[in-house]
Amino acid sequence: MPTRLCAKERDMTTNLPLSADQIATLNAPQMDALADDYGSLGRKLSRAGIDIDAIKDKVAAFSVAVPSWGTGRGGTRFAKFPIAGEPTNIHEKLEDCAVVNQLSTLTPRVSPHFPWDKVSDYAALKQEAESLGLGFDAVNSNTFQDQPGQAHSYNTGSLASTLEATRQQAIEHNIECIEIGQQIGSTDLTVWVGDGTNFPGQQDLGRSLDRYLEAAAQVYAALPEDWRILLEHKMFEPAFYSTVISDWGSSILAAQELGPKAKCLVDLGHHAPNVNIEQIVARLHRFGKLGGFHFNDSKYGDDDLDSGSINPHQLFLVFNELIEAELNPRDGFNPAYMIDQSHNVTDPIESMMSSAEAIASCYAKAVLVDREALNAAQQGNDTMMAFQALRRAYNVDVAPILAMVRVEAGGAIDVLTAYRASGYRVRKAQERKAVGLGAGIV
């Protein structure tokens, strides 16, 4: 699993957006209470044979990437309402991502999206990110939108288009993303395509998958030795009758056909309602194809709500399986974790910090599960005790552990209070060009 920047790397940062002294000043009045809460939790865990410092160290090594596009206001298919100080380019996006990481200390990597984040000098962009205490995670291609000056429209699809010239354009764009990624230090390419149909009979469902696989194979062939291609499935939208890579079954079959560097990426919102996502995680890991995970939450469909805001217990159960995979790795275990949300009505920085905390909380609770007791109950067919092994861990308030991790890494005990006290959004509203009203999602 990719980890946070080490202390030496943090010391090399020169352009952090917030004052470390201000963060420390805001932390100071809360330090005694945190020490008391941490000590109390430590004594409680000790009675169960758990070393709180060992759990803290595990959480300190955990991290999740943030999406560059997540720093801006999202929207629905109907409208988008900008927020004052919203970033307008990758440089401003990186600055906002640095705020999230400086306060939460959980998000040291940014996942860029091209061509949205295209620049002329990627070596300079990498240096800029490093000066902000950030690195780059998986690069994301975009063949679901037409761009100015684009030769061929994606209105017939991209990698699965019936038009050879359009497929070739999509292939070349994905290869370009790999080349960009090599310059900024990425080693993963995430591919999500919106290819599909809205009417029965619109396309031959078998041939459309064949076209996708043939095109994806050409992208796969361009991967450097240490790279992976992460295939992201989605049940519907923008296509509402059929989608080429619609579920984990299609995804794993495609990944198996492409080769060992092809893995599956699971997005929490890209499934039919009530699907057992934690079982999907276990199945993909069983066959060595679990490559990444996008965190968000949903009530009805691909809502892209803040992680843990609707169903935190499901998030915990997902992490329970991810911890099982980590403890029993197959062909290595190195998932690309990323927050992938649409912040329609909140300050995106606040949402990403809140989500990072919810994700880390569920990770910590999954680490606390008594695996020996769980496995014994499972083997003994003791349903209630197996369930209680999970429930005991889920009921633990791990907030003192997360806060102590943040403090020790230079972050804030109360991230939202510290962020609002910094006045960062107000300053950016004065400094940045205003974003116009939008007609849709991005």
Side-chain angles (χ1 to χ4, degrees), residues 76-91:
T76 68
R77 287 183 293 136
F78 304 102
K80 170 184 173 182
F81 302 97
I83 187 173
E86 188 171 335
T88 60
N89 55 55
I90 182 58
H91 310 291

mmCIF file of all heavy atoms in Angstrom, residues 76-91:
data_model
loop_
_atom_site.group_PDB
_atom_site.id
_atom_site.type_symbol
_atom_site.label_atom_id
_atom_site.label_comp_id
_atom_site.label_asym_id
_atom_site.label_seq_id
_atom_site.Cartn_x
_atom_site.Cartn_y
_atom_site.Cartn_z
ATOM 1 N N THR A 76 -24.835 18.095 -10.399
ATOM 2 C CA THR A 76 -25.680 17.020 -10.902
ATOM 3 C C THR A 76 -25.748 17.158 -12.415
ATOM 4 O O THR A 76 -25.093 18.014 -13.009
ATOM 5 C CB THR A 76 -27.091 17.128 -10.313
ATOM 6 O OG1 THR A 76 -27.718 18.298 -10.851
ATOM 7 C CG2 THR A 76 -27.043 17.232 -8.799
ATOM 8 N N ARG A 77 -26.574 16.330 -13.044
ATOM 9 C CA ARG A 77 -26.766 16.484 -14.486
ATOM 10 C C ARG A 77 -27.486 17.790 -14.820
ATOM 11 O O ARG A 77 -27.553 18.192 -15.974
ATOM 12 C CB ARG A 77 -27.570 15.301 -15.034
ATOM 13 C CG ARG A 77 -26.790 14.005 -15.094
ATOM 14 C CD ARG A 77 -27.618 12.884 -15.712
ATOM 15 N NE ARG A 77 -28.730 12.513 -14.862
ATOM 16 C CZ ARG A 77 -29.960 12.297 -15.301
ATOM 17 N NH1 ARG A 77 -30.238 12.436 -16.576
ATOM 18 N NH2 ARG A 77 -30.925 11.953 -14.471
ATOM 19 N N PHE A 78 -27.996 18.473 -13.786
ATOM 20 C CA PHE A 78 -28.828 19.644 -14.036
ATOM 21 C C PHE A 78 -28.103 20.968 -13.796
ATOM 22 O O PHE A 78 -28.347 21.933 -14.501
ATOM 23 C CB PHE A 78 -30.082 19.572 -13.155
ATOM 24 C CG PHE A 78 -30.848 18.294 -13.366
ATOM 25 C CD1 PHE A 78 -30.763 17.255 -12.459
ATOM 26 C CD2 PHE A 78 -31.624 18.123 -14.495
ATOM 27 C CE1 PHE A 78 -31.458 16.071 -12.660
ATOM 28 C CE2 PHE A 78 -32.319 16.949 -14.717
ATOM 29 C CZ PHE A 78 -32.236 15.911 -13.793
ATOM 30 N N ALA A 79 -27.250 21.019 -12.793
ATOM 31 C CA ALA A 79 -26.611 22.303 -12.492
ATOM 32 C C ALA A 79 -25.399 22.118 -11.601
ATOM 33 O O ALA A 79 -25.259 21.109 -10.911
ATOM 34 C CB ALA A 79 -27.606 23.246 -11.813
ATOM 35 N N LYS A 80 -24.550 23.114 -11.631
ATOM 36 C CA LYS A 80 -23.379 23.178 -10.763
ATOM 37 C C LYS A 80 -23.308 24.585 -10.201
ATOM 38 O O LYS A 80 -23.443 25.562 -10.931
ATOM 39 C CB LYS A 80 -22.109 22.852 -11.561
ATOM 40 C CG LYS A 80 -20.813 23.110 -10.824
ATOM 41 C CD LYS A 80 -19.621 22.855 -11.743
ATOM 42 C CE LYS A 80 -18.323 23.267 -11.079
ATOM 43 N NZ LYS A 80 -17.167 23.061 -11.966
ATOM 44 N N PHE A 81 -23.099 24.683 -8.885
ATOM 45 C CA PHE A 81 -23.060 25.985 -8.224
ATOM 46 C C PHE A 81 -21.669 26.201 -7.633
ATOM 47 O O PHE A 81 -21.324 25.581 -6.627
ATOM 48 C CB PHE A 81 -24.140 26.059 -7.144
ATOM 49 C CG PHE A 81 -25.530 25.815 -7.682
ATOM 50 C CD1 PHE A 81 -26.107 24.559 -7.583
ATOM 51 C CD2 PHE A 81 -26.234 26.832 -8.303
ATOM 52 C CE1 PHE A 81 -27.390 24.321 -8.083
ATOM 53 C CE2 PHE A 81 -27.510 26.602 -8.815
ATOM 54 C CZ PHE A 81 -28.085 25.349 -8.702
ATOM 55 N N PRO A 82 -20.857 27.064 -8.244
ATOM 56 C CA PRO A 82 -19.481 27.253 -7.788
ATOM 57 C C PRO A 82 -19.408 27.823 -6.380
ATOM 58 O O PRO A 82 -20.374 28.396 -5.863
ATOM 59 C CB PRO A 82 -18.907 28.245 -8.808
ATOM 60 C CG PRO A 82 -19.843 28.215 -9.963
ATOM 61 C CD PRO A 82 -21.190 27.899 -9.400
ATOM 62 N N ILE A 83 -18.239 27.681 -5.766
ATOM 63 C CA ILE A 83 -17.961 28.261 -4.461
ATOM 64 C C ILE A 83 -16.869 29.309 -4.633
ATOM 65 O O ILE A 83 -15.988 29.180 -5.499
ATOM 66 C CB ILE A 83 -17.525 27.161 -3.459
ATOM 67 C CG1 ILE A 83 -17.406 27.737 -2.048
ATOM 68 C CG2 ILE A 83 -16.235 26.502 -3.889
ATOM 69 C CD1 ILE A 83 -17.147 26.672 -0.994
ATOM 70 N N ALA A 84 -16.913 30.355 -3.855
ATOM 71 C CA ALA A 84 -15.894 31.399 -3.941
ATOM 72 C C ALA A 84 -14.513 30.808 -3.637
ATOM 73 O O ALA A 84 -14.357 30.027 -2.703
ATOM 74 C CB ALA A 84 -16.215 32.515 -2.959
ATOM 75 N N GLY A 85 -13.545 31.173 -4.435
ATOM 76 C CA GLY A 85 -12.185 30.685 -4.220
ATOM 77 C C GLY A 85 -11.927 29.320 -4.799
ATOM 78 O O GLY A 85 -10.899 28.697 -4.535
ATOM 79 N N GLU A 86 -12.849 28.820 -5.616
ATOM 80 C CA GLU A 86 -12.689 27.503 -6.244
ATOM 81 C C GLU A 86 -11.479 27.524 -7.186
ATOM 82 O O GLU A 86 -11.248 28.498 -7.898
ATOM 83 C CB GLU A 86 -13.961 27.170 -7.017
ATOM 84 C CG GLU A 86 -14.017 25.764 -7.570
ATOM 85 C CD GLU A 86 -15.393 25.445 -8.141
ATOM 86 O OE1 GLU A 86 -16.386 26.072 -7.720
ATOM 87 O OE2 GLU A 86 -15.458 24.556 -9.014
ATOM 88 N N PRO A 87 -10.697 26.450 -7.230
ATOM 89 C CA PRO A 87 -9.512 26.436 -8.100
ATOM 90 C C PRO A 87 -9.897 26.389 -9.576
ATOM 91 O O PRO A 87 -10.919 25.789 -9.950
ATOM 92 C CB PRO A 87 -8.779 25.160 -7.682
ATOM 93 C CG PRO A 87 -9.830 24.275 -7.109
ATOM 94 C CD PRO A 87 -10.799 25.206 -6.440
ATOM 95 N N THR A 88 -9.075 26.998 -10.403
ATOM 96 C CA THR A 88 -9.347 27.060 -11.838
ATOM 97 C C THR A 88 -8.299 26.346 -12.670
ATOM 98 O O THR A 88 -8.430 26.270 -13.890
ATOM 99 C CB THR A 88 -9.428 28.535 -12.298
ATOM 100 O OG1 THR A 88 -8.173 29.178 -12.019
ATOM 101 C CG2 THR A 88 -10.554 29.264 -11.576
ATOM 102 N N ASN A 89 -7.240 25.837 -12.037
ATOM 103 C CA ASN A 89 -6.193 25.129 -12.772
ATOM 104 C C ASN A 89 -5.501 24.153 -11.829
ATOM 105 O O ASN A 89 -5.761 24.147 -10.616
ATOM 106 C CB ASN A 89 -5.189 26.115 -13.394
ATOM 107 C CG ASN A 89 -4.595 27.062 -12.355
ATOM 108 O OD1 ASN A 89 -4.037 26.630 -11.356
ATOM 109 N ND2 ASN A 89 -4.725 28.371 -12.590
ATOM 110 N N ILE A 90 -4.613 23.344 -12.358
ATOM 111 C CA ILE A 90 -3.965 22.308 -11.560
ATOM 112 C C ILE A 90 -3.094 22.903 -10.456
ATOM 113 O O ILE A 90 -2.963 22.314 -9.377
ATOM 114 C CB ILE A 90 -3.121 21.362 -12.464
ATOM 115 C CG1 ILE A 90 -2.475 20.243 -11.639
ATOM 116 C CG2 ILE A 90 -2.099 22.125 -13.251
ATOM 117 C CD1 ILE A 90 -3.430 19.366 -10.870
ATOM 118 N N HIS A 91 -2.543 24.065 -10.677
ATOM 119 C CA HIS A 91 -1.684 24.682 -9.662
ATOM 120 C C HIS A 91 -2.506 25.061 -8.420
ATOM 121 O O HIS A 91 -2.080 24.814 -7.284
ATOM 122 C CB HIS A 91 -0.976 25.906 -10.247
ATOM 123 C CG HIS A 91 -0.301 25.624 -11.560
ATOM 124 N ND1 HIS A 91 0.811 24.822 -11.657
ATOM 125 C CD2 HIS A 91 -0.614 26.008 -12.824
ATOM 126 C CE1 HIS A 91 1.175 24.732 -12.929
ATOM 127 N NE2 HIS A 91 0.323 25.446 -13.652
#
